[in-house]
Amino acid sequence: MKELRYTLLSDGSSDKALLPILTWLLRLHGVECAIQSQWADFRRLPKQPLNHSERIELSLNLYPCDLLFIHRDAEKEPREKRVSEIQKSVEGIRESVSVPVICVVPVRMTEAWLLFDEAAIRKAAENPRRQQPLNLPNLSKCEELPDPKQYLCQLLRQASGFTGRRLKKFRAREREKIQRIAELIDDFSALRSLSAFKILEADIKQMLKRQSW
């Protein structure tokens, strides 16, 4: 294989932050060829898909790939329920799904997986030299936070050191900053202490072995 193309179908645009994590895991477990990542973006379509099965089918039509990652935040539901929902959606269009599918289900939401790297948060806030300490949560507890996205945004604001109008402009770009944090992290191995991440890593490892990639 000269190139591995994968597509991420996610709940929302801020979940694009999963792309660097997925690429890191693929590299870690032996993918040596070029990796092309794509995020299934339906925002500009005149007609939105009506259900999850339609979203899956559309993502494969618009973003052809060798591997499809389907993301759902667990939020307040058990991980198993989200995985079952994804699997049922795939089964509903099984004849249209000709590539392997891997479920990506962080506990609560994706942002919980970005709360461990203070240097990356400071760089994304464009103020890496600021010395004011950031109150990062204990990594083992980050998935228990009621709103990891809001917590991460607060850390970014704190790290920026901005006030007034500058802070208002900064807040308008927080989604972009969250994506930037993921891009700045070189090593996600710290996330192996989280059960949902360990399951994702095991699923990727098993799939790569099965596909001989």
Side-chain angles (χ1 to χ4, degrees), residues 94-125:
R94 174 51 67 184
E95 68 281 356
S96 302
V97 182
S98 58
V99 301
V101 173
I102 293 180
C103 301
V104 185
V105 186
V107 175
R108 295 291 183 185
M109 57 187 68
T110 297
E111 286 78 10
W113 286 3
L114 301 177
L115 285 165
F116 71 94
D117 195 315
E118 181 171 338
I121 294 171
R122 290 187 183 279
K123 288 178 182 177

Side-chain angles (χ1 to χ4, degrees), residues 45-61:
L45 293 180
K47 183 180 179 181
Q48 295 295 312
L50 298 176
N51 54 53
H52 205 51
S53 289
E54 285 191 10
R55 294 183 79 239
I56 295 169
E57 196 166 26
L58 189 59
S59 67
L60 290 171
N61 289 334

Side-chain angles (χ1 to χ4, degrees), residues 3-212:
E3 180 182 71
L4 173 62
R5 295 180 302 167
Y6 76 81
T7 296
L8 169 64
L9 173 62
S10 66
D11 277 346
S13 58
S14 64
D15 299 303
K16 288 166 61 178
L18 286 166
L19 291 172
I21 298 174
L22 298 174
T23 298
W24 182 82
L25 283 168
L26 290 168
R27 285 281 183 226
L28 183 69
H29 290 290
V31 176
E32 297 180 351
C33 64
I35 297 176
Q36 178 184 330
S37 62
Q38 308 171 106
W39 175 64
D41 186 359
F42 305 146
R43 292 174 296 180
R44 297 180 183 179
L45 293 180
K47 183 180 179 181
Q48 295 295 312
L50 298 176
N51 54 53
H52 205 51
S53 289
E54 285 191 10
R55 294 183 79 239
I56 295 169
E57 196 166 26
L58 189 59
S59 67
L60 290 171
N61 289 334
L62 296 180
Y63 301 91
C65 59
D66 306 300
L67 170 63
L68 178 64
F69 288 100
I70 301 178
H71 159 266
R72 293 288 305 277
D73 283 329
E75 296 179 335
K76 297 181 180 180
E77 300 291 343
R79 179 187 183 279
E80 293 74 17
K81 181 177 180 179
R82 293 298 188 216
V83 170
S84 177
E85 290 171 352
I86 293 171
Q87 291 173 341
K88 286 180 181 178
S89 296
V90 171
E91 286 302 318
I93 52 166
R94 174 51 67 184
E95 68 281 356
S96 302
V97 182
S98 58
V99 301
V101 173
I102 293 180
C103 301
V104 185
V105 186
V107 175
R108 295 291 183 185
M109 57 187 68
T110 297
E111 286 78 10
W113 286 3
L114 301 177
L115 285 165
F116 71 94
D117 195 315
E118 181 171 338
I121 294 171
R122 290 187 183 279
K123 288 178 182 177
E126 300 176 7
N127 197 358
R129 297 183 180 180
R130 186 173 174 82
Q131 297 301 312
Q132 182 180 353
L134 300 181
N135 185 27
L136 267 65
N138 186 300
L139 182 57
S140 64
K141 303 293 184 182
C142 68
E143 291 187 322
E144 299 175 13
L145 295 170
D147 192 341
K149 183 175 183 178
Q150 180 60 25
Y151 197 101
L152 185 57
C153 287
Q154 290 175 351
L155 289 175
L156 281 165
R157 294 168 204 157
Q158 183 183 357
S160 74
F162 292 151
T163 58
R165 291 184 178 179
R166 295 183 72 189
L167 180 59
K168 186 176 181 179
K169 290 181 180 179
F170 181 88
R171 291 180 66 144
R173 300 170 58 202
E174 282 176 345
R175 185 176 298 175
E176 168 194 325
K177 298 296 184 184
I178 290 172
Q179 175 68 26
R180 184 63 180 146
I181 292 171
E183 293 169 353
L184 288 166
I185 297 174
D186 295 323
D187 186 353
F188 293 94
S189 56
L191 297 178
R192 284 174 165 158
S193 63
L194 305 178
S195 60
F197 185 85
K198 285 192 289 188
I199 293 171
L200 172 61
E201 182 172 12
D203 287 347
I204 288 176
K205 189 175 180 180
Q206 183 181 39
M207 182 277 303
L208 291 175
K209 183 178 180 180
R210 186 170 61 246
Q211 298 294 325
S212 299

